[in-house]
Amino acid sequence: MIDKNYNPQDVEGRIYDEWVQQDTFAAGAGAKEGAESYCIPMPPPNVTGDLHVGHALTFTVQDMITRFERMRGKNVLWQPGTDHAGIATQMIVERKLMEQQLPSRREMGREKFLEKVWEWKEQSGGTIVSQLRRLGASADWSRERFTMDDGLSRAVIKVFTELHKQGLIYKDKRLVNWHPVLQTAISDLEVENIEINGHMWHLRYPIEGTDETIVVATTRPETMLGDTGVAVHPDDERYTHLVGKMVVLPLTGRKIPIVTDEHADPEQGSGAVKITPAHDFNDFEVGKRNDLEQINIFTADAKINDEAPEAYRGLDRFEARKKIVADLDAMGVLVEVEDKVISVPHDEKSKQVVIEPYLTDQWYVDAETLAKPALAAVKEGRTKFVPKNWENTYYAWMENIQPWCISRQLWWGHQIPAWYGPDGEYFVAEDEAEAQALADAHYGAPTPIKRDEDVLDTWFSSALWPFSTLGWPDKTPELETYYQTTTLVTGFDIIFFWVARMMMFGIHFMDEEPFENVYVHALVRDEHGQKMSKTKGNVIDPITLFDEYGADATRFTLAAMAAQGRDLKLAISRVEGYRNFVTKIWNASRFLEMNECVRVEGYDPTTVNSTLNKWILSRAAKTVAEVEKSLEAFRFNEAANAAYDFVWGTFCDWFVELAKPVFNGDDEALKAETRATAAFTLDQILKLLHPFMPFVTEELWAQTGQNGPAREKLLIVSEWPELGNLVDEAAEAEMGWMIDLITGIRSLRVEMNVNAGAKIPLVVVDASADTKARLATQDAMIKRLARVETIDFADEVPGESAQLVLGEATFAMPLAGVIDIAAEKERLNKELGKLDKEIDGVAKKLANEQFTSKAPAHVIDDQKQRKTDAEEKKARVEAALARLG
């Protein structure tokens, strides 16, 4: 017997363990013989991570696709794994060493420190995987990979050495984002630009051999020590006579040229800009175009180095700024200090450390060369973005791609396979023995070599994910079967950092795009559309949602709101609502069980006779088709809402209600058919909902399987419904007509304030023969559900009647004696007056520019919605008045 209440906490863990024990997540589980493959490479979450609401969305989407395609009999692999998260993991372990008052990383040495990292990874690194299991993720955990495991590390070394042989990996001195505390290059994704209240210092530089000066402005006066030029726009006539002359750089006495470059904007400030190629990304490019010297004035920890005058050496960059400004002011060089809000790059993790553009030797990938075939793959339609507009983001990055800095000055990660000889010559090889052989051949004698201490950017190893996880560089059966993978699900923020790089490496090493489809999901925001952040206090923790409402309700909420191209505004009330949906399904299943709706051996849905049963089977068939079509098109919200509307609105609210008189009636044949149809339809519902709500559906599949024929398999590996031959337009037309009639009468009763218990007559005017036949067939049902006492036909509508037009017929409810007509008209007119006043008040508020310019967007949206609701209610009240005559 199905329990009275459904408790997710009692069910979810047990069900998940059963799935694992029965190996239902394994690659190919439930697949038909010779089935086509369907592979999803899981975006590997950081081993340091916890499940946040963005993760919950992306992994819910992936699991829905996985479960759907598995039930369709495809050979499915959802390939899981985690990323070593180089910088984040190293920071965590270093912080823990400090908390435990253990020796620092550098005091401990590389080997001992890495032992500590692996130790931490084994003890604490699996948190997010256990949380994914709570979500219901049906990935093939037996194939779980880690970007630092032996197989993936071998793939990384192979790719590096091959690209180096091909001239696509090289060393170069360029500007990078530099973290002066960790003393490593970092990626753009690890940098967050934060607006702060700062200053713009206007400085007057003297021009050699003249009495003239040129004014430049900067937000970073300390970098002037590294200036190697001043740029003006080539069309700026104010400075034409100065181009080619030399400026004497204050404090240093160094002479630097005035050059022309379109980077200088004549409309901004004085139109002249100082150029510091070693400390600004734009200036670096200007310097290259004008062959300017690159002078790095910082040490690795952002102190002033020996390239600067002695007075500033050893000072922290911000201390140096104060001294330099004071000295420039004393010299009369400082013209003006302007207050200005400026954007300053910070370490994305801590938000505390200011990141420095820094000139240093690093390893680079020739991304421009690799990008060309990756661009063509999308432009020619071999890989498709969904929604399509994200292709533009991809193009913008790829068409303007810069060399990719792949080296990091960390210890945790894939150590670069390069060894250096005593003169700095380097040898790239797959292992030290090969490098030693290369070195000995180069020097003509045995020569000591030392390995490069740097490690590779985390994105380098994750760029290989679609093929390295399948066993490459070995030619494994998995690689043969599942590459090219089918669908990648990811966020828009890593289209360049991850998607583009997988495209480049996949095409280069596998001669084929790594995936057919890239589904880009939106952001999850709070209910007011605000980005979630700890400082705002509006973060929603998915684990809390699982605890409170269950994983199914959380998953269904995310699916139902996952509209393409629109951010999700997640409100707890929506999760509560879908928890009620879980309860509704449970209660409906329990009700059917109590009414002996048991699956029948040999039941054939094509042979049913009852219009009611033909109708529900037809509606189920159309819903399955709609959900299937929407899932195939990655329209998850449309799929979820179609399922919801059918299950709650059609099956639970109408079919179950309409079936009650049958269950309680005397027609045994009809009763048996309706019971069998109800049980069959419930089975199709459990299959239909399984990708969205796997736990409750699997539990009900087991519970309902205790009656009738034995279940052959778990729901997760059962076949997706195929009901196309059950569509019956005639049954749908008749039942749809009856539901519209009952719904219309119920609405009229509410509008006219008719007592819920009162039975009233119904008079039908201008009824066709078909309508009369339908009324005769459905007479008892209409009377019962609409609380109608009698149904009669007439040539005219009786006076003082509320009226409903359905098809060709008018249905009238004579209300004289049932309600006080005059009092009802008075009440409705008063209601109209209130609504007019409300609509007018909101309209004035929305027309007030003072209000609309200051109010948050969500407040304005609420006011607009309030006006719309009032206008719709007014239309209903006016219609009710018109019906009373």
Side-chain angles (χ1 to χ4, degrees):
M1 183 75 181
I2 297 174
D3 292 339
K4 185 175 181 181
N5 299 309
Y6 174 68
N7 187 349
Q9 283 69 39
D10 294 341
V11 170
E12 291 174 356
R14 170 172 51 79
I15 290 287
Y16 197 90
D17 288 345
E18 187 172 5
W19 287 330
V20 171
Q21 286 161 12
Q22 296 207 25
D23 218 16
T24 59
F25 301 164
K32 296 174 183 174
E33 190 173 344
E36 65 177 292
S37 67
Y38 196 105
C39 182
I40 298 179
M42 177 186 287
N46 287 352
V47 71
T48 60
D50 283 296
L51 193 74
H52 57 63
V53 75
H55 285 135
L57 171 62
T58 187
F59 291 119
T60 293
V61 167
Q62 290 170 71
D63 193 55
M64 284 192 296
I65 298 171
T66 299
R67 289 176 183 272
F68 169 61
E69 297 294 358
R70 186 187 287 126
M71 292 178 79
R72 293 213 291 179
K74 292 186 182 177
N75 181 355
V76 175
L77 167 62
W78 183 12
Q79 173 61 54
T82 50
D83 189 272
H84 63 280
I87 199 165
T89 302
Q90 183 159 316
M91 284 173 68
I92 285 173
V93 176
E94 287 201 70
R95 189 169 64 242
K96 289 193 173 297
L97 293 177
M98 195 164 26
E99 289 169 359
Q100 296 167 12
Q101 298 184 326
L102 291 171
S104 70
R105 165 171 68 106
R106 297 195 182 280
E107 291 169 337
M108 187 177 285
R110 186 175 195 131
E111 189 176 336
K112 291 289 184 187
F113 176 74
L114 290 178
E115 285 177 11
K116 288 290 182 187
V117 181
W118 279 106
E119 194 178 291
W120 175 86
K121 188 264 179 186
E122 293 306 315
Q123 290 174 355
S124 311
T127 300
I128 197 163
V129 170
S130 64
Q131 292 171 333
L132 284 174
R133 291 170 180 253
R134 285 205 60 188
L135 179 71
S138 60
D140 185 353
W141 298 111
S142 69
R143 294 186 46 81
E144 184 179 351
R145 305 304 298 269
F146 177 53
T147 48
M148 288 284 287
D149 70 27
D150 290 342
L152 270 64
S153 295
R154 190 159 61 92
V156 167
I157 298 298
K158 181 78 171 173
V159 166
F160 188 99
T161 54
E162 288 294 315
L163 290 177
H164 181 263
K165 281 178 191 172
Q166 296 160 14
L168 296 171
I169 281 182
Y170 57 92
K171 287 201 82 168
D172 196 8
K173 185 183 285 290
R174 295 177 60 89
L175 275 193
V176 296
N177 294 307
W178 185 260
H179 194 302
V181 174
L182 295 173
Q183 296 184 30
T184 180
I186 60 175
S187 75
D188 289 342
L189 197 64
E190 292 156 333
V191 177
E192 181 175 341
N193 288 303
I194 299 174
E195 288 194 341
I196 64 170
N197 294 320
H199 301 93
M200 177 78 84
W201 286 269
H202 296 256
L203 310 175
R204 191 186 307 278
Y205 287 2
I207 297 167
E208 183 187 30
T210 73
D211 294 331
E212 288 188 81
T213 59
I214 191 165
V215 175
V216 298
T218 179
T219 59
R220 304 192 63 211
E222 66 278 10
T223 65
M224 59 87 61
L225 298 176
D227 285 2
T228 58
V230 172
V232 296
H233 195 277
D235 299 333
D236 194 337
E237 294 178 358
R238 294 173 295 174
Y239 301 116
T240 303
H241 67 293
L242 296 179
V243 174
K245 294 194 173 182
M246 304 298 281
V247 167
V248 180
L249 188 63
L251 303 180
T252 71
R254 193 168 66 250
K255 294 171 186 176
I256 61 176
I258 297 176
V259 299
T260 59
D261 198 279
E262 293 192 353
H263 171 64
D265 184 352
E267 304 298 320
Q268 293 290 321
S270 68
V273 291
K274 62 189 280 302
I275 303 300
T276 319
H279 296 291
D280 181 274
F281 287 100
N282 288 322
D283 289 6
F284 180 79
E285 298 301 327
V286 175
K288 280 205 303 182
R289 288 193 290 268
N290 290 278
D291 199 26
L292 298 179
E293 189 180 0
Q294 300 170 342
I295 300 177
N296 177 15
I297 60 160
F298 289 136
T299 61
D301 57 352
K303 291 183 171 64
I304 304 296
N305 68 16
D306 291 347
E307 291 288 345
E310 192 172 349
Y312 309 107
R313 293 174 189 171
L315 291 178
D316 173 78
R317 53 189 161 162
F318 299 115
E319 285 300 314
R321 175 182 296 179
K322 293 175 188 174
K323 181 168 176 53
I324 287 166
V325 168
D327 291 349
L328 291 171
D329 191 19
M331 291 175 64
V333 170
L334 182 60
V335 178
E336 178 190 354
V337 182
E338 175 190 351
D339 291 337
K340 189 176 179 68
V341 175
I342 57 175
S343 182
V344 178
H346 284 74
D347 164 25
E348 183 269 337
K349 295 288 183 203
S350 71
K351 313 285 193 294
Q352 301 296 317
V353 179
V354 174
I355 300 305
E356 192 65 51
Y358 187 65
L359 190 66
T360 178
D361 287 307
Q362 301 286 347
W363 290 92
Y364 288 89
V365 169
D366 178 0
E368 185 179 1
T369 298
L370 292 172
K372 288 171 184 173
L375 255 172
V378 176
K379 288 188 172 179
E380 294 166 14
R382 293 191 296 280
T383 293
K384 299 176 181 65
F385 277 80
V386 182
K388 188 174 174 62
N389 62 288
W390 288 113
E391 289 178 0
N392 296 326
T393 301
Y394 179 80
Y395 296 152
W397 277 108
M398 298 294 267
E399 287 168 354
N400 299 282
I401 200 163
Q402 298 295 310
W404 171 19
C405 175
I406 55 171
S407 46
R408 298 290 181 266
Q409 289 63 55
L410 304 171
W411 288 353
W412 173 242
H414 295 101
Q415 194 169 352
I416 288 172
W419 284 259
Y420 295 88
D423 58 356
E425 183 72 25
Y426 63 82
F427 307 92
V428 171
E430 292 193 20
D431 56 40
E432 188 168 2
E434 184 185 344
Q436 186 69 63
L438 290 171
D440 293 349
H442 173 78
Y443 292 111
T447 306
I449 56 174
K450 183 182 179 184
R451 188 166 184 177
D452 194 320
E453 291 194 352
D454 289 356
V455 299
L456 286 163
D457 177 11
T458 301
W459 296 105
F460 189 93
S461 51
S462 56
L464 319 183
W465 193 251
F467 55 94
S468 65
T469 53
L470 298 175
W472 188 92
D474 296 332
K475 293 183 178 179
T476 64
E478 291 86 354
L479 195 65
E480 178 69 26
T481 302
Y482 296 110
Y483 192 94
Q484 169 192 62
T485 72
T486 316
T487 298
L488 177 75
V489 178
T490 188
F492 65 86
D493 54 333
I494 53 174
I495 287 175
F496 174 68
F497 292 97
W498 191 44
V499 179
R501 289 162 177 175
M502 285 191 288
M503 288 288 285
M504 291 190 287
F505 281 6
I507 293 169
H508 190 78
F509 286 96
M510 297 296 296
D511 297 320
E512 189 177 17
E513 296 75 25
F515 16 74
E516 295 175 34
N517 309 296
V518 179
Y519 174 76
V520 182
H521 64 75
L523 280 177
V524 185
R525 299 181 179 272
D526 73 9
E527 60 187 304
H528 302 302
Q530 300 293 308
K531 190 174 180 179
M532 292 187 193
S533 71
K534 290 178 181 176
T535 52
K536 290 179 185 173
N538 62 348
V539 173
I540 297 175
D541 180 0
I543 302 300
T544 302
L545 296 180
F546 299 165
D547 291 341
E548 185 75 18
Y549 307 106
D552 288 326
T554 306
R555 288 170 59 114
F556 201 89
T557 304
L558 294 169
M561 300 179 75
Q564 286 184 15
R566 288 210 308 270
D567 288 348
L568 285 75
K569 295 181 182 178
L570 182 60
I572 299 296
S573 58
R574 292 292 296 268
V575 188
E576 289 175 351
Y578 290 122
R579 178 189 58 185
N580 296 341
F581 182 40
V582 173
T583 302
K584 186 82 171 179
I585 299 161
W586 187 265
N587 289 343
S589 302
R590 191 165 182 272
F591 172 82
L592 294 180
E593 183 186 59
M594 291 167 66
N595 281 275
E596 301 174 46
C597 299
V598 178
R599 293 170 303 110
V600 175
E601 188 82 55
Y603 169 79
D604 183 354
T606 63
T607 63
V608 299
N609 297 307
S610 156
T611 302
L612 172 65
N613 294 328
K614 289 179 180 179
W615 163 73
I616 196 60
L617 291 169
S618 182
R619 291 305 309 140
K622 285 187 175 179
T623 302
V624 166
E626 187 177 353
V627 170
E628 189 169 317
K629 182 180 176 183
S630 296
L631 287 176
E632 287 174 339
F634 306 110
R635 298 188 178 279
F636 302 105
N637 62 315
E638 293 177 12
N641 290 323
Y644 178 90
D645 290 344
F646 170 70
V647 175
W648 189 310
T650 302
F651 185 76
C652 295
D653 280 358
W654 283 106
F655 175 75
V656 170
E657 195 64 30
L658 294 169
K660 284 178 182 176
V662 177
F663 296 154
N664 296 325
D666 299 325
D667 187 333
E668 294 301 325
L670 177 60
K671 192 184 298 186
E673 179 187 284
T674 304
R675 283 172 170 164
T677 300
F680 175 83
T681 307
L682 179 60
D683 265 13
Q684 311 319 303
I685 285 171
L686 297 180
K687 291 179 179 182
L688 184 74
L689 288 176
H690 183 74
F692 308 94
M693 303 170 124
F695 292 108
V696 70
T697 51
E698 189 73 79
E699 178 69 1
L700 284 171
W701 184 260
Q703 297 265 9
T704 55
Q706 293 173 11
N707 301 312
R711 299 278 193 206
E712 293 180 5
K713 57 185 81 169
L714 293 175
L715 177 58
I716 187 174
V717 287
S718 296
E719 294 77 15
W720 182 254
E722 293 184 10
L723 308 177
N725 61 344
L726 298 180
V727 173
D728 190 319
E729 298 294 355
E732 288 208 43
E734 180 171 335
M735 295 303 295
W737 172 87
M738 185 183 77
I739 288 169
D740 288 345
L741 178 58
I742 293 169
T743 302
I745 294 170
R746 286 174 171 176
S747 295
L748 280 181
R749 292 175 67 107
V750 172
E751 285 174 10
M752 299 304 167
N753 255 351
V754 176
N755 185 288
K759 287 197 171 184
I760 52 176
L762 183 66
V763 177
V764 188
V765 179
D766 297 332
S768 66
D770 282 347
T771 296
K772 287 179 179 177
R774 284 174 173 174
L775 286 166
T777 304
Q778 306 295 348
D779 179 86
M781 198 67 70
I782 294 166
K783 286 178 178 176
R784 178 175 178 273
L785 294 179
R787 299 201 67 75
V788 169
E789 188 171 25
T790 57
I791 301 176
D792 298 304
F793 299 93
D795 296 328
E796 293 183 359
V797 174
E800 298 185 323
S801 292
Q803 300 164 43
L804 167 71
V805 176
L806 184 60
E808 85 295 343
T810 299
F811 296 82
M813 294 194 306
L815 295 177
V818 178
I819 63 171
D820 184 330
I821 301 294
E824 184 58 18
K825 284 182 177 180
E826 183 181 355
R827 184 187 72 81
L828 291 172
N829 276 311
K830 281 183 181 177
E831 184 72 16
L832 273 182
K834 286 181 186 175
L835 290 168
D836 281 334
K837 190 174 178 181
E838 182 178 357
I839 291 165
D840 184 56
V842 176
K844 284 179 180 175
K845 187 178 281 190
L846 290 171
N848 183 338
E849 194 175 335
Q850 280 192 321
F851 169 75
T852 55
S853 64
K854 293 178 182 177
H858 72 271
V859 172
I860 294 172
D861 289 344
D862 289 346
Q863 290 296 315
K864 287 178 180 177
Q865 188 61 50
R866 183 181 167 197
K867 184 171 178 282
T868 300
D869 292 345
E871 287 169 341
E872 289 175 355
K873 188 173 182 182
K874 180 184 174 182
R876 291 196 299 271
V877 173
E878 287 174 336
L881 268 170
R883 290 190 185 104
L884 287 174

